[in-house]
Amino acid sequence: MSVSARPHAVIVPLPAQGHINPMMHLAKKLAREDGFLITFVNTDFIHARIMEAKMNIKSTLQYHVDETSIRLKSIPDGLEPQDSRTSDFPKVLRALENSMAPSLDKLIQEINEKEEYKVTCLIVDLWMQFLLDVAKRHDIPRAALFPGLTATCALRYNSPTLVSSNLLPSNGVPEENKMVKYLPFLPPLYSAHLPWLHGGKTESELLFELGQRTTAKMKDMEWTLFNSFYDLEAPVIDEFSKQVGVLPIGPLIPPQFLHGDLDQKRTVNNTGLWTEELECLDWLDRQSPCSVIYVSFGSFAMFNARQLEELALGLEATQKPFLWVVRNDLMDGKTVALPSGFTERIKDRGCLVSWAPQLSVLSHPSVACFITHCGWNSTLESISMGVPMICWPYFADQFLDRTYIVEVWKIGLALNTNEDGLIPKDEIAAAVKRLISEEEGGEIKKRVTKLKGNCRAAVKEGESSYNNYKLFVNAMKRK
């Protein structure tokens, strides 16, 4: 490739950890495999968080972005400094929609006027589809990435049809909780677990409307990418592709984790908002194979004091070693308070960290299972590493993810609440025992190991995700 022909992609994720990660994986893939220069654009707020994590001495060995190929830039998000970026998603998305396009337009214009490599394509998170008009103004190819389960996008896209067929009320918020077969190619789902139901009725209505408006734009998109792979969601992809363009290119995971380059597994990290505590990998090295329970609930989930206590005591009751990610804001945003004497009692078999290098953990031979919130990144990473899951969804699309994990793919177990709405310690300990020590767990391990093989095969030359990715790259290069 000549210097003058170098492709230059501007990539804009939704400003949330679970959306930034797959976008950065895509950016690195484009730079590594296809020679792209990447301008990765976060909001000012997120950019500051990333730089703070990068500067922490504990993460300097892990943090890696090739600055000759990937530059981190930022633009305003339209919110005031004191505004929350996590508690009111509709407000955040409205602010982004009202403010970001002019700033992005200006950034691309400045790059084209001042830099050697002009911008040749724009790639955005599907939730940021309102930015694609910027690409039209600059006459460059454009694409969107949906970083979740394809089935979730299909459900959102078809929600107007569900309203017209009386499977949903016009506001998207069912009045009663019942099991419903919403689409022929999806499993039945409890109506209380629809992905837009979060917070109160008003917020759920706004999320429903935002999802409808966002996915409706797919009709006009030539390139909509999905962080999934064909064998994982074949019935959904086959049917959804009859409605809109669906291009699964996943899993978007660094190649060293898919191809077993053990020397590299400790030297690559995502562009994260938290500092990873790498000492936990040394702790894992000292544990027996397939013995450790890994526990992490992503970047948003929070627990009240009673539920956090049940979780801690449940882990203690397993009598197994465990690695638990305890974010500083895990307890309803307050300082985490663990049960009296807990830390002392588990000191010989428990490792508590504020954030972990998740792919390195899941790929470690000592890890036996993953207690997870069922976020899509965590789900796909667990499948890619062949780790069975114990499912504890928190909100939004995580309930549909759990349905696929437990009922469709049968690679995990669900946890059930008691009459007080809590998941008790005995339920947690029993699920771990079933997964690690009983025959049922052995069958689950066989199924997830098979999916692991399918997952890794999908990105090999000539296979489904590889072929889809190359089609997309050639389009972005206008070949």
Side-chain angles (χ1 to χ4, degrees):
M1 181 185 298
S2 66
V3 173
S4 61
R6 188 179 190 185
H8 183 174
V10 169
I11 295 182
V12 189
L14 185 75
Q17 179 73 77
H19 292 250
I20 295 168
N21 278 357
M23 276 294 209
M24 180 53 76
H25 288 321
L26 176 59
K28 289 181 177 180
K29 186 179 179 73
L30 288 166
R32 180 182 62 249
E33 297 182 9
D34 297 282
F36 275 74
L37 174 64
I38 305 293
T39 298
F40 198 89
V41 184
N42 284 302
T43 63
D44 292 340
F45 178 82
I46 292 294
H47 184 77
R49 288 280 306 273
I50 291 171
M51 292 299 104
E52 182 181 355
K54 178 182 179 182
M55 292 301 293
N56 191 300
I57 192 169
K58 290 183 180 179
S59 68
T60 53
L61 292 177
Q62 281 271 323
Y63 185 92
H64 175 70
V65 171
D66 180 358
E67 294 182 357
T68 63
S69 297
I70 301 177
R71 305 103 49 85
L72 304 181
K73 301 288 185 179
S74 70
I75 56 181
D77 60 12
L79 294 166
E80 296 299 322
Q82 69 273 15
D83 289 340
S84 171
R85 269 73 178 176
T86 58
S87 62
D88 189 345
F89 181 66
K91 178 182 177 180
V92 171
L93 204 59
R94 283 195 300 271
L96 297 173
E97 188 168 2
N98 292 334
S99 69
M100 284 190 75
S103 298
L104 182 65
D105 198 0
K106 180 181 178 182
L107 175 63
I108 292 175
Q109 187 68 36
E110 289 177 351
I111 290 172
N112 289 342
E113 289 175 355
K114 299 177 182 179
E115 298 188 12
E116 180 179 2
Y117 303 111
K118 291 180 170 53
V119 176
T120 58
C121 64
L122 175 65
I123 305 166
V124 304
D125 190 296
L126 183 60
W127 284 103
M128 308 285 276
Q129 47 73 29
F130 48 81
L131 295 175
L132 292 176
D133 286 341
V134 175
K136 290 182 181 179
R137 288 195 290 276
H138 290 273
D139 190 29
I140 54 176
R142 57 198 183 276
L145 172 69
F146 186 77
L149 183 74
T150 311
T152 300
C153 189
L155 185 58
R156 289 185 179 276
Y157 179 85
N158 283 282
S159 57
T161 303
L162 300 179
V163 170
S164 63
S165 60
N166 296 318
L167 286 171
L168 279 177
S170 59
N171 66 356
V173 183
E175 294 183 0
E176 59 178 325
N177 183 25
K178 58 183 180 180
M179 186 70 78
V180 179
K181 180 77 170 175
Y182 286 104
L183 293 171
F185 52 88
L186 296 188
L189 183 69
Y190 278 109
S191 52
H193 292 162
L194 290 165
W196 50 82
L197 300 182
H198 177 58
K201 181 179 179 182
T202 299
E203 184 175 356
S204 294
E205 289 175 346
L206 288 170
L207 289 169
F208 179 66
E209 187 273 329
L210 282 169
Q212 281 190 321
R213 186 153 49 89
T214 296
T215 53
K217 295 289 186 179
M218 293 176 67
K219 298 174 185 175
D220 303 320
M221 293 181 190
E222 186 174 0
W223 300 99
T224 308
L225 314 175
F226 289 82
N227 188 19
S228 187
F229 59 98
Y230 180 78
D231 284 350
L232 193 63
E233 298 188 78
V236 176
I237 292 168
D238 286 340
E239 293 301 317
F240 195 22
S241 295
K242 296 174 183 178
Q243 299 175 304
V244 293
V246 176
L247 209 68
I249 62 168
L252 291 171
I253 288 174
Q256 62 270 24
F257 290 98
L258 295 176
H259 306 316
D261 188 348
L262 296 175
D263 291 337
Q264 292 296 315
K265 287 185 179 181
R266 298 189 184 212
T267 60
V268 175
N269 187 15
N270 299 333
T271 308
L273 307 185
W274 285 270
T275 300
E276 296 176 346
E277 297 185 30
L278 307 183
E279 296 87 347
C280 69
L281 299 178
D282 296 328
W283 180 86
L284 285 173
D285 287 342
R286 298 192 294 271
Q287 310 308 312
S288 301
C290 290
S291 66
V292 175
I293 309 159
Y294 174 52
V295 188
S296 179
F297 297 97
S299 54
F300 280 107
M302 293 185 184
F303 296 118
N304 60 39
R306 287 185 63 196
Q307 184 60 86
L308 192 71
E309 180 179 22
E310 290 294 321
L311 172 55
L313 296 178
L315 291 174
E316 183 179 358
T318 65
Q319 297 295 308
K320 300 286 185 183
F322 60 87
L323 168 58
W324 183 10
V325 176
V326 186
R327 295 191 335 266
N328 294 332
D329 61 349
L330 185 62
M331 197 172 81
D332 287 342
K334 303 171 186 174
T335 302
V336 172
L338 296 169
S340 177
F342 171 78
T343 305
E344 179 65 23
R345 293 193 303 271
I346 58 89
K347 65 180 181 180
D348 293 331
R349 58 183 179 84
C351 179
L352 276 58
V353 296
S354 59
W355 201 248
Q358 184 157 288
L359 276 168
S360 295
V361 170
L362 289 172
S363 64
H364 198 284
S366 71
V367 171
C369 66
F370 182 12
I371 299 180
T372 173
H373 65 306
C374 304
W376 183 241
N377 288 332
S378 291
T379 299
L380 193 57
E381 288 168 2
S382 202
I383 292 171
S384 300
M385 300 302 120
V387 178
M389 287 165 272
I390 295 174
C391 299
W392 192 329
Y394 177 66
F395 75 146
D397 57 343
Q398 295 164 8
F399 291 97
L400 185 55
D401 294 349
R402 177 185 65 180
T403 297
Y404 271 83
I405 293 166
V406 176
E407 299 176 18
V408 178
W409 304 320
K410 302 184 187 302
I411 56 173
L413 300 174
L415 293 171
N416 299 305
T417 57
N418 61 17
E419 62 276 7
D420 296 323
L422 297 173
I423 295 176
K425 59 184 179 183
D426 293 343
E427 175 76 4
I428 297 164
V432 169
K433 182 180 180 182
R434 288 168 60 194
L435 204 53
I436 294 181
S437 304
E438 297 182 1
E439 184 178 350
E440 179 184 18
E443 293 302 312
I444 288 173
K445 179 65 175 178
K446 289 178 184 177
R447 287 190 287 270
V448 75
T449 300
K450 181 178 179 181
L451 272 183
K452 169 186 171 180
N454 294 346
C455 173
R456 297 178 179 215
V459 296
K460 292 182 178 179
E461 185 172 356
E463 300 299 331
S464 59
S465 290
Y466 176 95
N467 293 339
N468 289 338
Y469 171 76
K470 289 302 180 184
L471 284 173
F472 151 71
V473 166
N474 288 337
M476 295 303 102
K477 291 180 176 180
R478 281 186 165 161
K479 283 189 175 181

